[in-house]
Amino acid sequence: MLMKASTPSSVLLVCLGNICRSPTAEEIFRQQAAIAGLNMKVDSAGTGDWHIGHAPDIRAQRHAKSHGYNISKLVARQVSAEDFYNFDLILAMDTQNLADLQAIKDELLGANSNEESLAKLALFSEEDPTYGGDSVPDPYKGDGNAFEEVIERIESSSKAWIESWKAV
Ligand code: 4NP
């Protein structure tokens, strides 16, 4: 498939804990990118530090598995300043994650990094015709439906990003 020259070569998916939404997004995005023939580095991280080193939440693992996504081997980590230099695009699962990421980026810009050397930031749903502008709701305190909703939204928004990079 022919892709636009502006297609990022690396994408980081970010949520709060890196144990529910963003590891699920990492696997779904990676699979969809591979299907589209995109050679892209895909990773995930959390803005918080509570779950560093942990496997994804067992509920997230089970719901992902039932849709054909194995996230059992992923390990949570916290987002860092280096990520802004190492990734082309960082996508936030919700508006709070986006604000927290923007604060890190603003600090780096204040410390004399130029905009072009830092990752672009966006809401994960930004390109999505169905869910555009929405947050992917935090399922941590929710039920099974919350985890199903996460998968539905992530499949939709991942597809929309990849569509947006296809050359027409
Ligand atoms: P995630 O979900 O951000 O989708 O990984 C959460 C996981 C843990 C917590 C909050 C959200 N927590 O408060 O520990």
Side-chain angles (χ1 to χ4, degrees):
M1 210 166 305
L2 219 53
M3 294 291 169
K4 290 176 184 159
S6 58
T7 304
S9 56
S10 53
V11 179
L12 182 68
L13 294 315
V14 174
C15 65
L16 179 58
N18 194 211
I19 57 165
C20 297
R21 291 166 292 176
S22 61
T24 303
E26 177 184 339
E27 182 56 24
I28 291 174
F29 207 95
R30 183 182 286 123
Q31 283 199 21
Q32 289 193 5
I35 289 165
L38 278 173
N39 182 18
M40 186 176 277
K41 176 171 82 171
V42 182
D43 195 9
S44 67
T47 57
D49 62 2
W50 312 284
H51 299 286
I52 293 171
H54 295 182
D57 185 288
I58 194 67
R59 298 164 296 171
Q61 289 192 41
R62 288 194 184 120
H63 284 274
K65 193 176 176 190
S66 76
H67 291 267
Y69 306 112
N70 182 355
I71 62 169
S72 64
K73 299 292 194 304
L74 300 181
V75 179
R77 70 173 182 87
Q78 188 174 26
V79 71
S80 68
E82 289 75 55
D83 288 320
F84 284 80
Y85 298 97
N86 294 337
F87 288 87
D88 292 339
L89 180 64
I90 302 181
L91 298 177
M93 291 293 134
D94 66 33
T95 53
Q96 183 60 54
N97 306 147
L98 185 61
D100 292 341
L101 290 164
Q102 187 62 56
I104 299 172
K105 186 168 176 175
D106 287 345
E107 266 193 45
L108 296 171
L109 288 169
N112 279 330
S113 292
N114 53 336
E115 176 76 42
E116 303 81 66
S117 67
L118 298 175
K120 286 196 170 62
L121 267 183
L123 197 59
F124 181 65
S125 67
E126 189 174 289
E127 292 291 328
D128 194 321
T130 310
Y131 298 114
D134 288 6
S135 291
V136 179
D138 181 351
Y140 191 61
K141 295 193 170 74
D143 58 11
N145 283 335
F147 283 86
E148 286 300 304
E149 166 110 27
V150 161
I151 290 172
E152 158 65 20
R153 285 175 178 263
I154 288 172
E155 285 181 334
S156 176
S157 295
S158 297
K159 187 166 164 247
W161 277 107
I162 289 164
E163 283 293 322
S164 79
W165 297 323
K166 282 183 186 165
V168 281

